[in-house]
Amino acid sequence: MTVTNETPSLLLERLLEVMAQLRGPNGCPWDKKQTHQSLTPHLLEETYEVLAAIEQQDVTHLSEELGDLLLQIVFHAQIGKEAGSFQISDVISQLIHKLVRRHPHVFGEEKVEHPEEALSRWEKIKAAEKQDSESVLESIPTQLPALARAYRIGSKVGRLGFDWEKPADVIEKINEEIQELQQEISNESQA
């Protein structure tokens, strides 16, 4: 594994310069023609390669694959910069604000003792931020593989109390929902 003495900020600056050059007038024809949409399969592939390295517990490979994933992020940020819609500083700034906002037990006065409490607090803050959302499931990407999507849906609704020990409890909940629907129909409610 290569170790460098350069600071992360200098290395990031250099990476951004390299990407700008790759997409610049004398850059690489393939890189210059890429769009957010054309890079989507590469972003997904690099993500899976990171997951494979983690599963294999190969830290050298993980470091390399994280670099490939970072390339995708920098690539998208460069395209955003060229379009005038956003740039890497926006991505980083938004991330910093989100991390500070969703960790009041670290950056504020709140206290939590257990990881579960921290996750619960994160979810509550996230839900409050997304108040305009019609459904708690909207944030789950439809592009996820079916099993991963099902797991995320189950996990999310489980944290909201939609998780039962026995099949009879599920039937009871379904009947409750049917009664609510019948009441709305009786009231001729369009909602």
Side-chain angles (χ1 to χ4, degrees), residues 107-124:
F107 301 103
E109 301 299 318
E110 293 187 25
K111 300 290 181 222
V112 296
E113 297 295 321
H114 305 286
E116 297 80 18
E117 291 176 87
L119 178 61
S120 175
R121 187 69 190 125
W122 174 284
E123 290 293 335
K124 286 177 184 169

Side-chain angles (χ1 to χ4, degrees), residues 127 133-140 156-157 160:
S133 226
E134 290 182 27
S135 165
V136 296
L137 303 179
E138 280 183 18
S139 65
I140 300 174
K156 197 167 269 263
V157 298
L160 297 172

Side-chain angles (χ1 to χ4, degrees), residues 9-166:
S9 57
L10 286 176
L11 289 169
L12 179 59
E13 191 175 314
R14 177 70 182 124
L15 176 58
L16 296 173
E17 291 168 0
V18 167
M19 180 51 66
Q21 190 171 349
L22 287 171
R23 298 233 345 139
N26 298 319
C28 172
W30 186 87
D31 289 316
K32 291 192 309 187
K33 108 175 198 191
Q34 298 313 304
T35 65
H36 292 301
Q37 292 75 21
S38 70
L39 289 173
T40 300
H42 305 287
L43 177 60
L44 188 58
E45 180 182 340
E46 296 303 343
T47 301
Y48 282 121
E49 289 176 3
V50 166
L51 295 174
I54 291 170
E55 187 173 300
Q56 295 163 1
Q57 298 181 4
D58 184 342
V59 294
T60 302
H61 191 219
L62 177 58
S63 177
E64 178 185 348
E65 294 303 338
L66 285 170
D68 292 346
L69 186 55
L70 178 58
L71 166 63
Q72 294 301 309
I73 294 165
V74 168
F75 214 141
H76 283 279
Q78 179 63 32
I79 292 169
K81 181 179 180 180
E82 292 165 7
S85 52
F86 68 93
Q87 54 190 353
I88 195 72
S89 57
D90 299 316
V91 173
I92 295 169
S93 178
Q94 289 172 13
L95 176 58
I96 291 168
H97 289 299
K98 180 188 294 185
L99 289 172
V100 170
R101 188 174 60 250
R102 292 189 186 172
H103 288 89
H105 53 284
V106 175
F107 301 103
E109 301 299 318
E110 293 187 25
K111 300 290 181 222
V112 296
E113 297 295 321
H114 305 286
E116 297 80 18
E117 291 176 87
L119 178 61
S120 175
R121 187 69 190 125
W122 174 284
E123 290 293 335
K124 286 177 184 169
I125 294 168
K126 184 176 180 180
E129 293 169 356
K130 309 226 183 240
Q131 285 178 345
D132 297 337
S133 226
E134 290 182 27
S135 165
V136 296
L137 303 179
E138 280 183 18
S139 65
I140 300 174
T142 57
Q143 297 82 358
L144 281 176
L147 287 176
R149 183 165 164 73
Y151 174 79
R152 291 273 303 274
I153 289 170
S155 176
K156 197 167 269 263
V157 298
R159 287 193 295 269
L160 297 172
F162 286 86
D163 202 6
W164 299 276
E165 296 292 322
K166 303 175 292 212

